[in-house]
Amino acid sequence: MDTKNLNFDTKLIHAGHYDEAFGSATVPIYQTSTFAFKNAEHGARCFADYDEGYIYTRINNPTIQALENSISELEKGYGGIATSSGMGACTSIYMALLDKDSHLLSTASVYGTSRGVMENHFSRFGVQSTYIDTSDLELVKKSIRPDTRVLFIETPSNPTIQLTDIKECAKIAHDNGSILVVDNTFSSPCLQNPLEMGADVVFHSLTKFINGHADVVGGIIVTKTRELYEMIRPLMISMGCNMDPHQAYLVIRGIKTLGIRMERSQQNAMKIAEWLEKNPKVDWIKYPGLKSYRQQELFRKQMKGPGAMMSFELKGGIEAGRQLMNNVRVATLAVSLGGVETLIQHPASMTHSGFSKEDREKAGITDGLVRYSVGIEDADDLIRDLEQAFESI
Ligand SMILES: *Cc1c(COP(=O)(O)O)cnc(C)c1O
């Protein structure tokens, strides 16, 4: 089916699917490591051009390709490259686009491992990096260097819910001859299409909103051009960051409900955010749907909805955070995000406990900050859950 002219929610169901020999309504799982060639000549043609046929699952596979085609279409790109995890996508991008002595400029509050692998490992091979507050465009202009090959942004970023202007960053990057990469995990293609705003490469941790059921770890890269696709794909294949067919099947199944999951999560998030904003035990709350959200104008300009992620600061610091974590019953105390189940996390005592208080505060992670990923449960149950847990503080 040609899905190019269909609307987003229809594309979620049909994009990337192909005509299958037996008329299967869903994409079959081709659980095979290798594919038989018709003859020697066919084998040679497959190696010369991957479009001629499948070779080996690390290189290409019909189930994985259906997922790649689907998300590439949702992100309006040239092509998709599925990976074993979000970090598989991130490191494949770094490896393909950066060289010894080249420079990466990035968001300070970017996903911790995206920063850690750069500062602790890519640095060993001579790649340089600088981490700044990319929501400050003047600072981006000042910090970009002649040797900056990649401007790498995450928006909204984690866990501070801070936005970076994609269009303006694309201009700054392109004026400098640099490539703009956007981690679009927090928004999913449902709320934001960075390639349409000038980005060159977009990637996702499929583990979060796109799969949405907390049962798969996966990643995907979508490039705007064939040239970038052909730079990144061979690196993914050589490093073995490939996805598995069963993993691809589960993500394809998850994608179909992305639209309705996001709609329900956002409705819940809005109700909960309004309730939290009025709660005397909450110092502040950051959620793009609230009028009090600092970057209201940029939010309206670049996102189609406020998403399902919020963070709030408890009066009472680290101890209050611990109390809340130990007393919620409906929300699950866990890292990750974007699933049908509501997750709660306290960065100061969990994900960021290894950092000094000073370093945490530099990244905007205060002691009472709570990260809340809103699922699709009943909003009143979630509010009652928070209400009873707040009583313990
Ligand atoms: C989870 C996450 C990643 C890493 O993805 P994995 O699938 O865990 O490897 C990267 N970026 C963001 C914003 C994430 O939330």
Side-chain angles (χ1 to χ4, degrees):
M1 187 194 308
D2 181 10
T3 49
K4 288 275 182 299
N5 295 319
L6 298 172
N7 289 329
F8 189 82
D9 283 307
T10 316
K11 282 188 180 174
L12 287 176
I13 312 294
H14 298 290
H17 293 202
Y18 54 93
D19 292 320
E20 203 269 327
F22 301 105
S24 166
T26 60
V27 178
I29 310 173
Y30 285 92
Q31 196 73 40
T32 181
S33 58
T34 195
F35 296 84
F37 303 124
K38 295 184 183 90
N39 50 45
E41 293 70 30
H42 178 229
R45 281 203 310 279
C46 288
F47 273 98
D49 179 357
Y50 292 162
D51 288 341
E52 288 285 325
Y54 300 98
I55 301 171
Y56 181 65
T57 285
R58 178 159 50 73
I59 298 173
N60 52 11
N61 174 290
T63 314
I64 299 170
Q65 194 173 39
L67 173 66
E68 292 172 332
N69 291 345
S70 161
I71 299 184
S72 176
E73 199 171 310
L74 297 171
E75 282 288 20
K76 302 171 189 166
Y78 167 78
I81 304 163
T83 54
S84 51
S85 67
M87 286 316 301
C90 176
T91 51
S92 297
I93 293 168
Y94 287 165
M95 197 67 133
L97 303 184
L98 293 158
D99 287 313
K100 182 174 181 300
D101 298 329
S102 67
H103 176 247
L104 170 129
L105 180 62
S106 182
T107 309
S109 53
V110 76
Y111 186 72
T113 315
S114 304
R115 181 169 176 169
V117 73
M118 176 54 60
E119 292 187 324
N120 300 329
H121 299 288
F122 278 82
S123 62
R124 296 192 284 121
F125 305 100
V127 180
Q128 297 174 33
S129 60
T130 314
Y131 288 85
I132 59 162
D133 175 1
T134 51
S135 71
D136 179 349
L137 292 170
E138 287 310 310
L139 187 60
V140 177
K141 280 183 202 154
K142 256 190 262 163
S143 309
I144 202 159
R145 314 191 321 208
D147 59 347
T148 303
R149 187 79 56 78
V150 174
L151 175 58
F152 184 103
I153 61 174
E154 183 180 318
T155 177
S157 70
N158 172 32
T160 50
I161 321 289
Q162 184 147 300
L163 306 186
T164 293
D165 191 322
I166 299 172
K167 259 191 190 152
E168 291 302 318
C169 280
K171 276 189 211 143
I172 298 169
H174 297 156
D175 284 348
N176 195 62
S178 318
I179 294 165
L180 178 65
V181 177
V182 179
D183 181 340
N184 202 27
T185 300
F186 266 41
S187 296
S188 87
C190 208
L191 304 181
Q192 182 171 280
N193 291 124
L195 298 181
E196 277 198 319
M197 292 180 243
D200 304 291
V201 178
V202 59
F203 80 97
H204 291 273
S205 166
L206 297 170
T207 318
K208 316 297 168 53
F209 288 101
I210 293 183
N211 179 60
H213 291 73
D215 53 5
V216 174
V217 171
I220 197 157
I221 303 160
V222 180
T223 68
K224 187 156 164 169
T225 63
R226 178 182 177 135
E227 189 193 355
L228 282 163
Y229 178 87
E230 286 177 354
M231 280 172 82
I232 300 170
R233 187 162 188 101
L235 253 299
M236 181 284 286
I237 294 171
S238 301
M239 295 197 301
C241 292
N242 59 287
M243 183 173 268
D244 174 86
H246 187 249
Q247 203 182 351
Y249 167 81
L250 286 170
V251 180
I252 291 168
R253 182 176 166 140
I255 286 180
K256 298 186 188 198
T257 54
L258 174 63
I260 53 171
R261 279 188 282 111
M262 196 56 109
E263 196 177 310
R264 174 61 173 266
S265 291
Q266 290 187 122
Q267 279 169 9
N268 284 354
M270 198 63 218
K271 276 194 196 167
I272 293 163
E274 283 170 349
W275 182 82
L276 283 167
E277 196 168 38
K278 287 191 221 108
N279 195 296
K281 288 183 179 163
V282 174
D283 197 8
W284 50 253
I285 164 162
K286 279 189 194 161
Y287 179 62
L290 293 173
K291 287 198 186 69
S292 59
Y293 184 68
R294 190 173 62 84
Q295 294 174 290
Q296 195 56 237
E297 203 178 316
L298 179 55
F299 159 61
R300 285 182 196 288
K301 179 175 128 184
Q302 101 181 358
M303 294 177 74
K304 297 185 191 106
M309 294 301 301
M310 62 181 72
S311 57
F312 54 92
E313 176 76 14
L314 289 172
K315 291 177 186 164
I318 211 156
E319 198 40 46
R322 284 200 188 105
Q323 286 293 337
L324 182 66
M325 297 305 115
N326 286 335
N327 286 285
V328 285
R329 299 281 175 267
V330 180
T332 304
L333 176 56
V335 296
S336 195
L337 56 109
V340 290
E341 56 288 286
T342 296
L343 303 181
I344 194 164
Q345 204 252 110
H346 181 222
S349 69
M350 295 171 188
T351 45
H352 294 72
S353 57
F355 294 82
S356 69
K357 187 175 157 105
E358 194 193 350
D359 281 350
R360 280 203 302 266
E361 281 179 358
K362 250 191 235 157
I365 299 158
T366 40
D367 277 353
L369 186 136
V370 174
R371 193 180 78 175
Y372 199 66
S373 167
V374 185
I376 64 170
E377 300 95 334
D378 183 282
D380 293 334
D381 283 336
L382 292 170
I383 289 173
R384 268 196 298 275
D385 182 42
L386 286 172
E387 196 165 30
Q388 62 80 27
F390 269 91
E391 275 164 25
S392 67
I393 299 172

